[in-house]
């Protein structure tokens, strides 16, 4: 079961000394919902729900800053990791944890689950279908992740750019270790049908750097990485090494603030589900297929390669259909 990794507080970066005004809490801060200018199309209903959640709690100045940030990003709030929220609010990740506890939750994951449960879409589903069991809730959480991904894809330019980078790289190395190995392997399986040279990198150790070197010497210009929690140290080090060799790194990760972000030239986020003992990764898998589509569009001979494969598969009786 995934947890939010702690980020150490920076000494002197922020203070949480409570003043009389701060202890009034968000309830007394007029304009949190009305004057914040809720971003990303968040409706007033979502902002109002957040405002109601914060009312009556004695929040420090730092915690009020987090509250303001969540109201401004009301539509995204249920999907933000603690690290993302900390970055957006300009505070430390432990401050976000303390903020959640101040609101009466066991930690930030519990607060985020609450926000997802009371989101408008969740309320509509609950009204029509009644209470969900834990397995149904996990499915609904993934549906929410897919909705969020669909909203992000309203701007297709990052995916189109990634598709062009991947199509132009000959060979194309695809990296995915541990939890992300299935995503990398699935992408590689299909990509090999349209791209002339796709190389799967699914093992770490000293061999990883060797294989990155080999791909670069063979002419690779880009590397695609799938990075999911918990993030292996070898992936971070591998991406750093790949960039040092001159490769452009395109990464599909669970968050724009994942540990791999600083070693990625283009990062495409897709949230993972955390409602079961092991994370679920429907959104990252779908984003991988979207990248495949964009890469096909950038490969002039992709359709011809697919037709050639289909003809050979039929001649060999490869499939029973």
């Amino acid at each position: 079961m995934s947890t939010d990794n702690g980020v150490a507080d920076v000494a002197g970066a922020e203070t949480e000394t409570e003043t009389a005004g701060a202890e009034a809490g968000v309830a007394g801060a007029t304009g949190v919902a009305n004057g914040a200018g809720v971003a990303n199309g968040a409706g007033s209903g979502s902002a109002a729900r957040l405002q109601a959640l914060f009312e009556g709690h004695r929040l420090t100045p730092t915690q009020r800053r987090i509250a303001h940030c969540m109201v401004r990003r009301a539509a995204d709030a249920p999907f933000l990791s603690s690290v993302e929220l900390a970055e957006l609010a300009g505070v430390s990740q432990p401050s976000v944890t303390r903020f959640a506890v101040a609101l009466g939750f066991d930690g930030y994951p519990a607060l985020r689950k609450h926000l997802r449960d009371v989101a408008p879409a969740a309320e509509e589903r609950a009204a029509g279908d009644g209470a969900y069991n834990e397995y149904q809730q996990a499915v609904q959480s993934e549906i929410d992740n897919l909705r969020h991904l669909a909203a992000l894809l309203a701007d297709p330019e990052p995916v189109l750019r990634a598709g062009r980078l991947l199509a132009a790289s000959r060979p194309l190395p695809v990296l995915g270790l541990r939890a992300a190995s299935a995503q990398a392997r699935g992408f590689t399986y299909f990509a090999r049908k349209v791209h002339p040279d796709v190389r799967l990198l699914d093992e770490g150790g000293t061999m990883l750097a060797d294989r990155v070197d080999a791909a670069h010497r063979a002419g690779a210009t880009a590397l695609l990485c799938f990075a999911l929690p918990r993030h292996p140290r070898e992936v971070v080090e591998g991406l750093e090494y790949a960039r040092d060799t001159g490769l452009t790194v395109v990464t599909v990760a669970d968050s724009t603030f994942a540990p791999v972000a600083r070693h990625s030239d283009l990062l495409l986020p897709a949230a993972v589900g955390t409602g079961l003992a092991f994370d679920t990764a429907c959104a990252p898998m779908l984003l991988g297929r979207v990248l495949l589509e964009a890469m096909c569009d950038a490969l002039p001979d992709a359709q011809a390669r697919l037709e050639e494969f289909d003809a050979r598969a039929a001649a060999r009786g490869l499939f029973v259909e």
Side-chain angles (χ1 to χ4, degrees):
M1 189 176 300
S2 67
T3 58
D4 290 299
N5 293 325
V7 178
D9 276 304
V10 179
E14 62 184 45
T15 60
E16 295 199 351
T17 303
E18 297 188 6
T19 64
E23 290 189 353
V26 176
T30 58
V32 171
N34 297 326
V38 180
N40 296 333
S44 60
S46 297
R49 288 182 182 87
L50 286 170
Q51 175 72 6
L53 176 63
F54 303 147
E55 287 179 354
H57 294 281
R58 299 165 66 89
L59 303 179
T60 69
T62 295
Q63 291 166 354
R64 291 180 64 188
R65 185 174 181 178
I66 298 170
H68 277 271
C69 180
M70 293 184 71
V71 171
R72 287 195 304 270
R73 301 293 296 266
D76 294 332
F79 305 97
L80 296 173
S81 70
S82 63
V83 176
E84 288 176 309
L85 181 55
E87 290 281 348
L88 290 171
V91 302
S92 68
Q93 187 270 348
S95 293
V96 174
T97 300
R98 290 192 290 269
F99 170 71
V101 173
L103 295 178
F105 297 94
D106 292 336
Y108 182 74
L111 170 58
R112 185 170 61 175
K113 181 179 184 301
H114 171 78
L115 295 179
R116 291 186 178 188
D117 289 344
V118 301
E123 291 178 353
E124 292 171 5
R125 292 193 299 267
D129 301 329
Y132 290 126
N133 61 41
E134 62 179 308
Y135 308 124
Q136 292 174 302
Q137 289 172 0
V139 173
Q140 291 298 337
S141 178
E142 284 294 73
I143 292 172
D144 290 338
N145 287 340
L146 292 174
R147 287 196 179 99
H148 190 55
L149 176 61
L152 291 177
L153 292 175
D155 177 12
E157 181 52 36
V159 168
L160 294 175
R161 178 188 168 203
R164 293 190 294 267
L165 289 169
L166 302 181
S169 183
R170 311 290 176 88
L172 172 61
V174 180
L175 172 62
L177 302 183
R178 294 187 180 269
S181 62
Q183 311 298 325
R185 186 174 296 276
F187 181 95
T188 300
Y189 171 79
F190 290 109
R192 283 173 174 165
K193 299 181 187 302
V194 294
H195 192 288
D197 190 356
V198 184
R199 303 186 182 185
L200 176 64
L201 310 181
D202 61 349
E203 60 179 344
T206 58
M207 288 295 295
L208 178 56
D210 291 346
R211 296 173 72 185
V212 169
D213 281 336
H216 183 252
R217 287 195 301 269
T221 55
L223 177 146
L224 173 62
C225 174
F226 288 88
L228 301 177
R230 301 171 63 185
H231 295 276
R233 183 183 303 276
E234 289 173 305
V235 171
V236 177
E237 295 171 347
L239 293 189
E240 182 178 14
Y241 185 81
R243 292 185 78 192
D244 287 344
T245 65
L247 296 181
T248 299
V249 173
V250 177
T251 302
V252 173
D254 59 300
S255 163
T256 54
F257 299 105
V260 295
R262 66 183 182 275
H263 301 302
S264 303
D265 297 288
L266 178 58
L267 189 145
L268 304 171
V272 300
T274 59
L276 300 176
F278 299 100
D279 289 345
T280 50
C282 295
M285 181 190 70
L286 181 55
L287 182 52
R289 297 298 187 269
V290 171
L291 278 175
L292 273 170
E293 187 75 9
M295 188 180 74
C296 287
D297 291 342
L299 288 168
D301 57 348
Q303 187 59 40
R305 286 178 177 274
L306 284 174
E307 292 174 357
E308 179 184 1
F309 172 81
D310 286 342
R312 291 182 177 179
R316 293 166 56 193
L318 192 59
F319 303 109
V320 296
E321 297 93 353

